[in-house]
Amino acid sequence: MAKIIVVTSGKGGVGKTTTSASFATGLAMRGHKTAVIDFDVGLRNLDLIMGVERRVVFDFVNVINGEATLKQALIKDKHLDKLHILAASQTRDKDALTTEGVEKVLNDLAQDFDFIVCDSPAGIERGAFLAMYFADEALVVTNPEVSSVRDSDRVLGILSSKARLAEKGETKVKEHLVLTRYNPARVAKGEMLSLEDVKEILAIPLLGVVPESSSVLTCSNSGVPVIREEGSDAGLAYQDLVARFLGDEVPHRFITEQKKGLFSKLFGAT
Amino acid sequence: MDWLKFFRAEKNNTAKTAKDRLMLAVAYQRSGQANGPSYLPRLREELLGVVRKYIQVPDEAVQFSVQREGGLEVLELNITLPDQ
Ligand SMILES: Nc1ncnc2c1ncn2[C@@H]1O[C@H](COP(=O)(O)OP(=O)(O)O)[C@@H](O)[C@H]1O
Ligand SMILES: [Mg+2]
């Protein structure tokens, strides 16, 4: 039986899709059969970040409507045969996702996969709600910034009261904090909320800190999840995060300011 | 080094301000008022009016929280009276 993980945040543009792509890729790199689903109906993007945009024939809504089989719609990653992508529909019909439809697709996927990663759209409307409703675990992606932290808290409230597990009242959704776009130098200057501040406010266990990194943009330019980028700080942070998720004990990196060496001072490298 | 700036370091720590503001915003959210029924603010105003017919209390004297307990929504209402 597969484990369903939602990548959520409330606020848009904080790094959910970046995280979903790297997290799913990382799980597959570690040998787990993983499907990643784009729930952002109308604003498909995960396909671009995963570099499969030209191979999308059928999408999530086609499967729900019975216009295609799951097998037809799942896109197999070119590099990792354990990784599959289900693209979002570009329809503008807000009601395209139904609770029953989503449940059926997740149940079918659960037969074959170890992990199902749901990339949530922003907001708390239907798409975002359905992405989290069936989740066993949640990666709450947060930036060290006031509106993002407040929105994450809002989403945590919804997860703990409205998700299926919460409704059943047996267990609750397991929550993980993923702090992204972190800039330790600005934290040191008192310009940015620190990891400790965010942990204290949200009060959920930390899974990983992903630094603000120029390689996230360049990787997205070429459709490569940043976790595949050798030597990228953000990529390494995502590898650590996946390892921790799978139970390894990995110390946190990139949370303190890297003092510039003489070389970078002289030559202005960053 | 700008010494004035140094002595004002505490003031320039906007991260601290952000944290303080967030603590309040999040407390309000968790109290359930933010996602409670939409009539809550009006109910609060009217109750405050009624209380004030009898005793002078500050605005924050009437506090709400909405909680879920075993599938039930519980509205908890606290009216703090000034000690006199
Ligand atoms: N760690 C990071 N460092 C720098 N830029 C980032 C990082 N994470 C995300 N971004 C950038 O932030 C923007 C929003 O990211 P995205 O993953 O699409 O967010 P969301 O899915 O939450 O809307 C993108 O332009 C992405 O390149
Ligand atoms: Mg997104």
Side-chain angles (χ1 to χ4, degrees), chain A residues 18 39-40 52 54 119 154 195 198 216 248 251:
Chain A
T18 305
F39 272 74
D40 207 341
V52 300
R54 289 191 298 177
D119 179 19
R154 186 90 172 88
L195 166 62
V198 179
V216 173
D248 297 354

Side-chain angles (χ1 to χ4, degrees), chain B residues 6-82:
Chain B
F6 177 77
F7 285 114
R8 273 199 250 116
E10 184 65 17
K11 254 196 177 158
N12 287 334
N13 191 330
T14 55
K16 172 87 173 60
T17 316
K19 186 183 177 190
D20 294 344
R21 292 174 58 221
L22 265 172
M23 298 285 245
L24 283 177
V26 159
Y28 167 74
Q29 221 159 247
R30 289 181 189 159
S31 72
Q33 291 175 66
N35 48 345
S38 61
Y39 58 73
L40 271 189
R42 246 195 14 223
L43 176 61
R44 186 176 171 281
E45 280 311 302
E46 284 179 29
L47 275 170
L48 204 54
V50 173
V51 173
R52 278 185 180 150
K53 276 192 187 167
Y54 302 92
I55 185 162
Q56 212 33 59
V57 291
D59 275 0
E60 55 292 352
V62 177
Q63 299 283 355
F64 281 112
S65 76
V66 184
Q67 259 135 28
R68 289 180 70 90
E69 283 169 24
L72 284 181
E73 292 232 299
V74 180
L75 173 65
E76 194 181 284
L77 174 63
N78 272 303
I79 305 176
T80 320
L81 298 179

Side-chain angles (χ1 to χ4, degrees), chain A residues 72-89:
Chain A
Q72 287 173 310
L74 280 175
I75 305 165
K76 201 165 147 214
D77 187 80
K78 279 231 162 81
H79 310 275
L80 293 159
D81 58 351
K82 303 234 173 205
L83 181 60
H84 291 71
I85 299 114
L86 184 55
S89 161

